[in-house]
Amino acid sequence: MANLPESGLQIRTLITPEGVLELSLAEVPVKPPGENEVVVRVEGTPINPSDLGLLVGGADMSTAVQGGTAARPTITAKVPEAGMRAMKARIGQDLPVGNEGAGTVIAAGSSPAAQALMGKMVTCLGGEMYSQYRTLNVAQCMMLPEGTTAEQGASCYVNPLTSLSFVETMRAEGHSAIVHTAAASNLGQMLVKICLKDGVPLVNIVRKEEQAALLRGLGATHIVNSTSPTFMEDLIQAIMETGATIGFDAIGGGTLAGQILVAMEAAASRKMKEYSRYGSGQETQVYIYGRLDLSPTVVSPGLGFSWNLSGYLLTPFLQKAAPETRARMYKRVIDELNTTFASHYTKTLSLAEALDLPTLHAYNAKATGEKYLIDPSR
Amino acid sequence: MANLPESGLQIRTLITPEGVLELSLAEVPVKPPGENEVVVRVEGTPINPSDLGLLVGGADMSTAVQGGTAARPTITAKVPEAGMRAMKARIGQDLPVGNEGAGTVIAAGSSPAAQALMGKMVTCLGGEMYSQYRTLNVAQCMMLPEGTTAEQGASCYVNPLTSLSFVETMRAEGHSAIVHTAAASNLGQMLVKICLKDGVPLVNIVRKEEQAALLRGLGATHIVNSTSPTFMEDLIQAIMETGATIGFDAIGGGTLAGQILVAMEAAASRKMKEYSRYGSGQETQVYIYGRLDLSPTVVSPGLGFSWNLSGYLLTPFLQKAAPETRARMYKRVIDELNTTFASHYTKTLSLAEALDLPTLHAYNAKATGEKYLIDPSR
């Protein structure tokens, strides 16, 4: 391993017991690969909302201050009391960030599986991807097709597998159509393409006319605007037309998840011939898979008694899924990497640029259609 | 059927399109029994919260006015706009009330099963029990042991089977301890006795010191007061001690259901060695089975991603349960009718007295420990 660098830079996030968030670049040793491991030089790693949740924690970013040098910038911000309570378990731990990414294998262990990846471009689900070098088990890496760039391969896991898992979950739980919120997101666009291809009716909830237009351009047919005065009636109509009884909500806070349950119950009730004080009996399910809104989830009565509201996360889904299901999902991501699962990035940043305060404010706004990539090799 | 009365009185509840709730006594014909049916002279039928939900609907009972005569009283009240929306499906329908009750079989169809009940005291789950006479399929009736009074047998279904179903659901879903709210209710007291007998750890959430004392008197050990300043910490401690990961909530509105999920997640997190931004991974479930509070359910973040909040109702549980499970539950109710499942009534009312306005205000207050019985044969 003569050519293995001794150390590399990595983004760290720390919340101190005094209530201060500290973001910094740490120099960490590169761990030589074990028998079944490879060392990846990370060349593209996306900033997903789930990464931001860890990076900025419960901090009030309007209090953020730039520190350090241009090469080794730091950012500090105050964490309000509510944030400290929510972040209790991580206080005092200097944590690495970055769920997924792609890069070149620069060292490999002795196993044939590890050796087969030597010099190849791979995509990885490994955590700590906001690092120049990352030592990973081969099971955490997939080889990308010849000629794929790190940018093209950086986002193979979180959004593609999550959107695919929605359709798998729908089928496994006996539903036949889906309601999706924040539907114009990167993930939402993938879901539109998957559902069109698979013939699954999809109700897309957006907040803006531009988002509706974007989805129409992809071929989406059922689009409902949550800021419209006729929103609830539009949603009930779309649910009656599609028969959707499962929903996936990226927003979490506020009334939207509950409104979907109410609309599903209303759609089922309108098909009933007789009044029942216990509602339609239709089983309905909304999964909250993101927390774009950190305020409490507010659910009104009027849902009947067969409703379910649950948390949702990709990892437990994958752990419970049959191996053939997982294999089918991975294969589809690679096969459709430049079509269904293509990601577009607003800007590519170095590790240091990712800790530039105005840049952080820009990507932390989580604006629809905006997505940032970090290239730690820059 | 020479001895069958031609008609009988029955309580009715109507919401008019103009937004008025009208309660009245209607004279309805007694339906002669079919081959497999019996006619029951109802002698005891409890006023459960689920009955009140139908009886007073979404009306504002502070606007209620008494009308009619002493023998045929009526009550009218205004239904506010929000109530009208929630009650949309029942507007204009004059509905009978009363989930369960007991009485004497005064006529029976020709089948052996029906004939076997002739002259016997039976307990029934049939709806419309706030009636002098009720014609029911034998499957909706259970024969009570010799010497049981209608008062003793009136509440065999709703509270006994619901509390038993909690323990069945806990086992079926792989949990080993339960959290229960409004725990000093009639149903809550039954659950305390069941859990003590079956060795199931139970966390009882109450609002008042008297309620805690009442439950301690029954042998309950884990009692938490939701009005205490240390409530959340007490709840987390009780959950850590019992290992409860399933809860049943009778209140529905407000923050309590969500607080139980937060406390379960906090208890699981405290047992973790390493921080995970995705929480403990512990699967948690809270079922809302009642709506003592009709305001929205408010769920804070901090639940992890493996939480479930769902509606719960006895009827679908029984429909899905194996026949041997149902048989075991029914047998236990009859076997323990005067111990585990004994109900105590504050007052017994005639049908006309149930429509006396001050009396209605009294039972509609749903005060803990107060429970009313109607005897339509009076």
Side-chain angles (χ1 to χ4, degrees):
Chain A
M1 307 285 167
N3 58 349
L4 198 63
E6 267 182 34
S7 66
L9 292 176
Q10 152 172 115
I11 290 182
R12 289 290 186 86
T13 174
L14 166 71
I15 294 177
T16 69
E18 294 75 30
V20 177
L21 170 77
E22 295 182 8
L23 306 181
S24 62
L25 288 182
E27 179 128 20
V28 292
V30 177
K31 183 177 165 281
E35 186 190 346
N36 218 26
E37 290 181 331
V38 294
V39 179
V40 179
R41 182 180 66 224
V42 184
E43 291 152 23
T45 169
I47 304 178
N48 290 315
S50 54
D51 298 311
L52 279 169
L54 180 62
L55 188 72
V56 304
D60 173 3
M61 294 311 285
S62 71
T63 66
V65 175
Q66 184 85 62
T69 63
R72 292 286 184 98
T74 61
I75 291 173
T76 52
K78 286 184 189 143
V79 183
E81 219 174 294
M84 288 301 281
R85 265 200 307 279
M87 298 292 134
K88 200 170 173 184
R90 59 168 284 190
I91 291 169
Q93 297 179 56
D94 201 17
L95 299 165
V97 196
N99 276 312
E100 63 182 339
T104 308
V105 173
I106 57 164
S110 58
S111 78
Q115 283 296 317
L117 297 180
M118 188 60 206
K120 305 290 185 189
M121 178 66 70
V122 293
T123 180
C124 318
L125 183 71
E128 312 189 23
M129 294 302 288
Y130 296 175
S131 304
Q132 290 184 303
Y133 304 97
R134 184 77 180 94
T135 306
L136 290 166
N137 190 289
V138 290
Q140 295 171 280
C141 307
M142 267 195 296
M143 205 194 321
L144 287 165
E146 196 66 43
T148 308
T149 65
E151 180 173 329
Q152 288 170 324
S155 297
C156 278
Y157 288 90
V158 178
N159 286 343
L161 292 179
T162 302
S163 52
L164 279 174
S165 79
F166 291 172
V167 179
E168 296 283 347
T169 299
M170 177 202 80
R171 290 203 186 99
E173 297 184 0
H175 305 273
S176 59
I178 295 173
V179 177
H180 188 226
T181 73
S185 67
N186 208 285
L187 190 156
Q189 295 177 40
M190 291 178 186
L191 188 61
V192 167
K193 294 181 203 166
I194 294 167
C195 287
L196 274 175
K197 212 160 180 173
D198 292 10
V200 174
L202 174 67
V203 178
N204 298 278
I205 301 179
V206 298
R207 282 178 308 179
K208 291 178 187 162
E209 196 35 54
E210 307 92 271
Q211 296 167 339
L214 189 158
L215 294 184
R216 261 192 299 273
L218 296 177
T221 46
H222 294 280
I223 305 168
V224 184
N225 189 327
S226 61
T227 64
S228 158
T230 59
F231 169 58
M232 273 310 279
E233 191 51 38
D234 298 345
L235 182 58
I236 294 169
Q237 276 305 324
I239 288 170
M240 290 188 80
E241 286 166 25
T242 55
T245 47
I246 188 168
F248 293 90
D249 173 38
I251 296 165
T255 58
L256 190 55
Q259 285 175 297
I260 297 170
L261 289 170
V262 168
M264 286 174 175
E265 173 63 15
S269 293
R270 289 192 191 173
K271 292 177 187 168
M272 288 172 75
K273 295 204 178 72
E274 226 176 281
Y275 173 69
S276 163
R277 85 196 88 165
Y278 297 122
S280 69
Q282 172 66 53
E283 289 208 25
T284 57
Q285 170 79 60
V286 169
Y287 285 109
I288 294 180
Y289 74 93
R291 276 267 169 207
L292 292 176
D293 180 343
L294 287 166
S295 71
T297 311
V298 177
V299 183
S300 293
L303 318 169
F305 273 87
S306 300
W307 57 275
N308 296 277
L309 182 65
S310 307
Y312 187 91
L313 201 58
L314 176 63
T315 315
F317 170 87
L318 290 175
Q319 282 161 352
K320 284 182 206 164
E324 53 274 24
T325 306
R326 276 200 301 272
R328 175 162 34 87
M329 291 167 70
Y330 287 136
K331 183 175 182 309
R332 184 162 177 183
V333 175
I334 299 297
D335 287 350
E336 303 178 17
L337 192 56
N338 294 314
T339 53
T340 311
F341 303 111
S343 287
H344 304 285
Y345 300 99
T346 312
K347 208 173 170 186
T348 301
L349 313 168
S350 69
L351 286 174
E353 284 165 348
L355 296 190
D356 170 61
L357 190 52
T359 305
L360 186 143
H361 284 312
Y363 62 72
N364 196 35
K366 295 174 227 177
T368 308
E370 297 227 332
K371 184 150 185 153
Y372 288 74
L373 189 73
I374 299 175
D375 176 358
S377 71
R378 282 197 178 185
Chain B
M1 309 288 166
N3 57 350
L4 199 64
E6 266 183 33
S7 66
L9 292 176
Q10 155 174 110
I11 290 182
R12 290 289 186 87
T13 174
L14 167 70
I15 293 176
T16 69
E18 293 74 32
V20 177
L21 170 76
E22 295 181 8
L23 306 181
S24 62
L25 288 182
E27 178 129 20
V28 293
V30 177
K31 182 176 165 281
E35 185 189 347
N36 218 24
E37 290 181 330
V38 294
V39 178
V40 179
R41 183 180 64 226
V42 184
E43 290 151 24
T45 169
I47 304 178
N48 289 315
S50 53
D51 298 310
L52 280 169
L54 180 62
L55 189 71
V56 305
D60 174 1
M61 294 312 284
S62 71
T63 67
V65 175
Q66 183 87 62
T69 63
R72 292 287 183 95
T74 61
I75 291 174
T76 52
K78 286 186 189 142
V79 183
E81 217 174 298
M84 288 300 282
R85 264 201 305 280
M87 299 292 136
K88 200 171 173 185
R90 59 168 284 190
I91 289 169
Q93 297 179 56
D94 200 18
L95 299 165
V97 196
N99 275 313
E100 63 181 340
T104 309
V105 173
I106 57 163
S110 58
S111 78
Q115 283 295 318
L117 297 180
M118 188 61 205
K120 305 291 186 191
M121 178 67 71
V122 294
T123 180
C124 318
L125 184 71
E128 314 188 22
M129 294 303 287
Y130 296 176
S131 305
Q132 290 185 300
Y133 305 96
R134 184 78 178 97
T135 304
L136 290 166
N137 191 289
V138 291
Q140 293 172 281
C141 307
M142 267 195 297
M143 205 190 328
L144 288 164
E146 196 66 42
T148 307
T149 65
E151 180 172 330
Q152 287 171 325
S155 297
C156 277
Y157 288 90
V158 178
N159 286 344
L161 291 179
T162 302
S163 53
L164 279 174
S165 79
F166 291 172
V167 179
E168 296 283 347
T169 299
M170 176 203 81
R171 291 203 185 100
E173 297 184 359
H175 306 274
S176 58
I178 294 174
V179 177
H180 189 224
T181 73
S185 67
N186 207 286
L187 190 156
Q189 296 177 40
M190 292 178 188
L191 188 61
V192 167
K193 294 180 204 169
I194 294 167
C195 288
L196 275 174
K197 212 159 181 174
D198 293 10
V200 174
L202 174 68
V203 178
N204 298 278
I205 301 180
V206 297
R207 280 177 310 178
K208 292 179 187 162
E209 197 34 56
E210 309 92 89
Q211 296 166 340
L214 188 159
L215 293 184
R216 261 192 299 274
L218 296 178
T221 45
H222 295 280
I223 304 168
V224 185
N225 189 328
S226 60
T227 64
S228 158
T230 59
F231 169 59
M232 273 311 279
E233 191 51 38
D234 298 344
L235 182 59
I236 293 168
Q237 277 304 324
I239 288 170
M240 290 187 81
E241 286 166 26
T242 55
T245 47
I246 188 168
F248 293 90
D249 174 37
I251 296 165
T255 59
L256 189 55
Q259 285 175 299
I260 297 169
L261 289 168
V262 168
M264 286 174 174
E265 173 64 16
S269 293
R270 290 193 192 171
K271 293 178 185 168
M272 288 171 74
K273 296 204 177 70
E274 223 177 281
Y275 173 71
S276 163
R277 85 196 87 163
Y278 297 122
S280 69
Q282 171 66 54
E283 289 207 25
T284 57
Q285 170 78 60
V286 168
Y287 284 109
I288 294 180
Y289 74 93
R291 277 266 169 207
L292 292 176
D293 180 343
L294 286 166
S295 71
T297 310
V298 176
V299 183
S300 293
L303 318 168
F305 272 89
S306 300
W307 57 276
N308 296 279
L309 183 64
S310 308
Y312 187 89
L313 200 58
L314 176 62
T315 314
F317 170 86
L318 290 175
Q319 282 163 353
K320 282 183 206 161
E324 54 273 24
T325 306
R326 276 201 301 272
R328 174 162 35 86
M329 292 168 69
Y330 287 137
K331 183 175 182 311
R332 184 161 177 185
V333 175
I334 299 296
D335 287 351
E336 303 178 19
L337 192 55
N338 294 312
T339 53
T340 312
F341 302 113
S343 286
H344 304 286
Y345 300 99
T346 313
K347 208 172 170 187
T348 302
L349 312 168
S350 68
L351 287 173
E353 285 165 349
L355 296 191
D356 169 63
L357 190 53
T359 306
L360 185 143
H361 283 313
Y363 63 72
N364 195 35
K366 295 175 226 176
T368 309
E370 297 225 336
K371 184 149 182 151
Y372 287 73
L373 188 72
I374 298 175
D375 177 357
S377 72
R378 283 197 177 184

